[in-house]
Amino acid sequence: MKNIPPNVIQSWGRWKSDAYRGYIHIWIVGSSIVYWAQRRALSRPVGRNLGLEKYGVQISWCGIRGMKWSQLLARIQRDLRNFPCPQYLVKQLGSNDLVSRASGVLRWEMKLYLLSLSKLPNTTAVWSCILPRQFWYGARSQVAIDNVRKRTNREISIYILKLVGRVITQSDLSDKETGCYRFDGIHLSDIGNDIYLNALQGALESFLV
């Protein structure tokens, strides 16, 4: 606005690209996985924006412990009253629903919500797959509920790609690796959070590039 030359602005902000022209806003919404991942990100050298500032990225984290899929739309609608639509909307949800909900009904509700969110202007929906756990509280069969998780991930991944969205698989996390989890077998340890954040950072960077 003050007619300052672009190369001067880039020099002041130490930008090597034209990222100064407009920031890319990314929302990461989910349960305790997101809550603890944010806390871990703040303690890492790359910080809350996962080192993606060179692309003009600003990440907003919304991790609510115990959050379930049915709470997603209300949360997004509340945030949209105060902020413009993000360019990327990452959802890390579903693990708290698998045991308590009928799997078919849950997947139907997921698709309904994703379809609604896909209509946000200039927003790319991103599905981050439900993570494995070492122990699913309340499940009659640990093997059966993990099979439900895998089927849900496959079905929702296919669906969101049809909506021209993106998928983050988080395939480097395994319930066989005890070092990735805390003592409860549910929440990620520091090592697990580092693996999660690295995959998140790599996926987001590939979307941007």
Side-chain angles (χ1 to χ4, degrees):
M1 290 175 64
K2 295 185 178 181
N3 297 317
I4 296 173
N7 64 307
V8 175
I9 297 175
Q10 285 176 291
S11 176
W12 288 347
R14 291 180 294 176
W15 281 293
K16 295 181 180 179
S17 68
D18 62 353
Y20 72 93
R21 294 183 183 275
Y23 284 101
I24 297 173
H25 295 277
I26 299 176
W27 293 1
I28 303 176
V29 182
S31 58
S32 56
I33 295 169
V34 175
Y35 175 86
W36 292 111
Q38 178 191 9
R39 291 171 67 94
R40 182 62 177 170
L42 291 172
S43 69
R44 288 162 38 116
V46 294
R48 65 177 293 119
N49 293 317
L50 303 181
L52 300 175
E53 294 92 342
K54 58 186 176 183
Y55 300 106
V57 165
Q58 288 188 331
I59 296 179
S60 296
W61 300 79
C62 178
I64 302 173
R65 288 183 282 184
M67 186 177 183
K68 295 188 176 182
W69 194 264
S70 59
Q71 299 172 263
L72 177 62
L73 280 186
R75 178 68 201 200
I76 297 299
Q77 289 167 352
R78 193 189 81 172
D79 289 343
L80 287 174
R81 287 196 291 267
N82 301 307
F83 305 100
C85 290
Q87 280 85 350
Y88 291 90
L89 176 57
V90 182
K91 294 161 287 295
Q92 182 69 65
L93 274 174
S95 55
N96 292 327
D97 297 274
L98 289 183
V99 175
S100 60
R101 302 284 303 278
S103 59
V105 175
L106 176 60
R107 287 193 292 272
W108 177 84
E109 186 178 275
M110 285 179 167
K111 292 177 182 179
L112 190 66
Y113 281 26
L114 290 172
L115 178 61
S116 176
L117 292 171
S118 71
K119 297 176 183 178
L120 291 175
N122 304 315
T123 298
T124 299
V126 181
W127 163 255
S128 183
C129 287
I130 300 173
L131 303 184
R133 290 180 175 182
Q134 291 186 311
F135 187 75
W136 295 88
Y137 285 101
R140 294 181 180 180
S141 168
Q142 299 295 309
V143 174
I145 200 67
D146 195 56
N147 287 335
V148 170
R149 178 188 68 84
K150 292 175 181 177
R151 179 179 176 182
T152 301
N153 281 338
R154 285 195 302 270
E155 195 169 318
I156 299 302
S157 294
I158 292 171
Y159 184 75
I160 201 164
L161 289 173
K162 288 181 179 178
L163 297 174
V164 199
R166 300 299 185 103
V167 175
I168 303 175
T169 61
Q170 293 291 349
S171 57
D172 291 334
L173 281 168
S174 171
D175 55 356
K176 304 298 188 295
E177 298 293 337
T178 55
C180 291
Y181 295 86
R182 297 184 189 177
F183 67 91
D184 60 5
I186 296 176
H187 298 98
L188 297 176
S189 64
D190 285 347
I191 294 173
N193 272 310
D194 285 340
I195 294 172
Y196 176 83
L197 289 168
N198 288 342
L200 190 61
Q201 177 182 343
L204 291 173
E205 187 164 12
S206 72
F207 301 161
L208 295 166
V209 172

